[in-house]
Amino acid sequence: MEKIEMQDTYINKIKNIINNQKYGILTMGCQLNENDSERISGILETAGFTKTQNLEEANVIVFNTCCVRENAEDKLFGKLGEVKKYKEQNGCIIAIGGCMMQEKHIVKKLKESYPFVDIIFGPHTLKNFPEDLYNAIIEKKKIEDILDIDGEIIEGIPTVREDKIKASVTIMNGCNNFCTYCIVPYVRGRERSRNPQDIYDEVVSLAKQGYKEVTLLGQNVNSYLVSEKSKGENVDFVVKMQNGEEFKVNSFATLLRLINTVEGLERIRFISPHPKDFTDDVIEAIKDCDKVCKLIHLPLQSGSSEILNSMNRKYSKEQYLTLANKIKEKIPNIEFSTDIIVGFPGESEKDFEDTLDVVSKVKFEQIYMFIYSRRVGTVADKMENQIDEKIKHTRFDKLKKLAEEIIEEKNKEYIGKTEKVLVEGKSKTNSNIYTGRTETNKVVNFEGKEELVGKVIPMQIISEHMWYLKGKYDNI
Ligand code: SAH
Ligand code: SF4
Ligand code: F3S
């Protein structure tokens, strides 16, 4: 509490000195990273800065980094070369935050080769950003503000969201799973859950502002409160609701049920659950809660039991398929999306065929595909049987082809059906066309009008294209 008040005074001090200044922010990571950027924007805007898309005219430039795959690093160092010029022209402050800053070799490289960077901060020290910024602007100091231990959950940092219809709400930080390919547990620390009252209050406030959809975020959302429980903490929370009644929350399933009661909210999504923790109470909650979208993101990573074992995913091919089938049986019309990595060390043709087999069986609505990328400090980086880049790419292309065939086949099934579409706004490319999404997260384009924005309307699907559907609504 003391810390946040102290940070408020830094925000006010900055506000008193700066005049008509702008900031630019580049977000390089996942939705959690984006949500952190919304807080960085919140801090900067409270301190009086206005946002610009043009980094050349920004007085403060923030990069919020990711390190889950190698290309994220290439992107950061490329961008740094670009903003160096701006720094030379106008002396702007350059701040770099996010997961990559938790990697010691990266911070070392930055300090040695990019000395023009003013502030280095991590996800655990985001709350200190006002103080760090003040010291960089006024005291002209170079700041390195990184914590190796897990930061506590801090409430009350202002948040500025760009979208006015859909919002992300972080429900927990960190990850305890240590999948062998993944850097996230090393940079984000152990699982810490937010208090359900804070989550509820944030969602209620979003709904009051007119938001229609929230996505509950965490690296492993269905272990919400689990780590606290295992430490012996009391996780039987009593949340005070809008109508004055009380609601008991002690798990992810009960949190879903609570959020489902929020007035004005139309849709609830969540990413990502871990298949190993997908308990029956969560399935029941998804089924019972009308606002919870009937699309589950269920990360597969690989379809081979051996590779899954080597990845430390703690489920086999059969267990994954059994879970997907159980969910399909219990929840009519449920659809799945997934994440898949190709070219994990030791992946044989047979292993890869198993991945294709699961893809053909589950028929995902959407697949986020990744080529395995070695991450320093992870177990898989040290495995000797790394896969040749060429083979990785051939497999990636093969998986992509299969995924697209399935998407096309599934898109055809939408034609003639009436889908509920949450209208998000005008299409970026054609001003007569409006765009929205089905519950299954498919983009639907249609000829519409401004007053439909933010509404969920039934729409008949008239045609399909690879990446979107075309719809028509009854104009009455
Ligand atoms: N916690 C989430 C995902 C976090 S990272 C989950 O468990 O599903 C998002 C995705 O990036 C992962 O699902 C995985 O498919 C991919 N990914 C993570 N590390 C990777 C690596 N080293 N190489 C390639 N893809 C990776
Ligand atoms: Fe990474 Fe696995 Fe944790 Fe997801 S569950 S963040 S893939 S370690
Ligand atoms: Fe997200 Fe990348 Fe960090 S995926 S949690 S921003 S390493």
Side-chain angles (χ1 to χ4, degrees), residues 107-260:
V107 172
K108 188 164 171 272
K109 179 169 172 182
L110 277 175
K111 282 169 41 188
E112 282 170 7
S113 312
Y114 301 84
F116 58 89
V117 170
D118 298 284
I119 306 173
I120 294 174
F121 66 109
H124 304 317
T125 46
L126 194 151
K127 64 175 194 304
N128 304 343
F129 189 62
E131 183 178 347
D132 294 342
L133 189 64
Y134 174 83
N135 284 328
I137 297 177
I138 305 302
E139 315 280 342
K140 310 264 182 268
K141 282 187 190 156
K142 295 275 174 201
I143 314 291
E144 184 185 339
D145 187 7
I146 304 288
L147 256 186
D148 269 342
I149 51 158
D150 307 341
E152 10 150 21
I153 293 200
I154 301 286
E155 297 295 340
I157 299 181
T159 307
V160 171
R161 293 174 164 90
E162 234 157 61
D163 199 309
K164 299 289 170 236
I165 294 167
K166 302 194 290 184
S168 296
V169 174
T170 300
I171 64 164
M172 58 191 297
N173 283 325
C175 179
N176 291 358
N177 291 321
F178 289 94
C179 302
T180 54
Y181 50 80
C182 185
I183 193 77
V184 171
Y186 302 92
V187 296
R188 283 269 173 176
R190 295 298 70 73
E191 288 173 3
R192 286 121 32 229
S193 303
R194 274 178 83 191
N195 184 306
Q197 184 77 60
D198 293 324
I199 299 170
Y200 177 77
D201 292 346
E202 184 173 351
V203 177
V204 168
S205 144
L206 287 166
K208 282 191 182 148
Q209 293 165 52
Y211 283 89
K212 300 295 175 201
E213 178 176 310
V214 292
T215 301
L216 306 177
L217 298 180
Q219 292 300 351
N220 181 7
V221 285
N222 47 8
S223 66
Y224 177 70
L225 293 180
V226 167
S227 148
E228 285 74 12
K229 206 179 285 176
S230 70
K231 280 187 241 159
E233 289 173 26
N234 179 14
V235 294
D236 290 319
F237 290 93
V238 179
V239 174
K240 201 152 189 354
M241 296 164 73
Q242 284 170 299
N243 59 9
E245 284 174 22
E246 292 183 339
F247 198 106
K248 281 192 187 141
V249 173
N250 59 8
S251 61
F252 181 59
T254 44
L255 180 72
L256 278 181
R257 289 181 189 273
L258 167 70
I259 303 299
N260 196 58

Side-chain angles (χ1 to χ4, degrees), residues 43-57:
I43 292 172
L44 285 161
E45 295 196 16
T46 315
F49 291 87
T50 50
K51 191 171 187 166
T52 174
Q53 301 299 334
N54 178 7
L55 294 185
E56 199 168 350
E57 60 167 17

Side-chain angles (χ1 to χ4, degrees), residues 15-16 49 52 96 144 151-152 183 208 217 239 264 273 279 295 313 317 360 370 396 425 431 439 453:
K15 201 172 181 170
N16 289 335
F49 291 87
T52 174
I96 312 187
E144 184 185 339
E152 10 150 21
I183 193 77
K208 282 191 182 148
L217 298 180
V239 174
T279 44
L295 172 78
R313 290 290 291 178
K317 174 185 183 183
S360 316
F370 307 104
F396 183 87
S431 63
E439 211 181 306
V453 175

Side-chain angles (χ1 to χ4, degrees), residues 68-69 181 219 272 299 301 313 339 341 370-371 373 375:
V68 79
R69 283 171 294 273
Y181 50 80
Q219 292 300 351
S272 291
Q301 312 301 359
R313 290 290 291 178
D339 288 356
I341 298 175
F370 307 104
I371 289 177
S373 171
R375 303 286 69 206

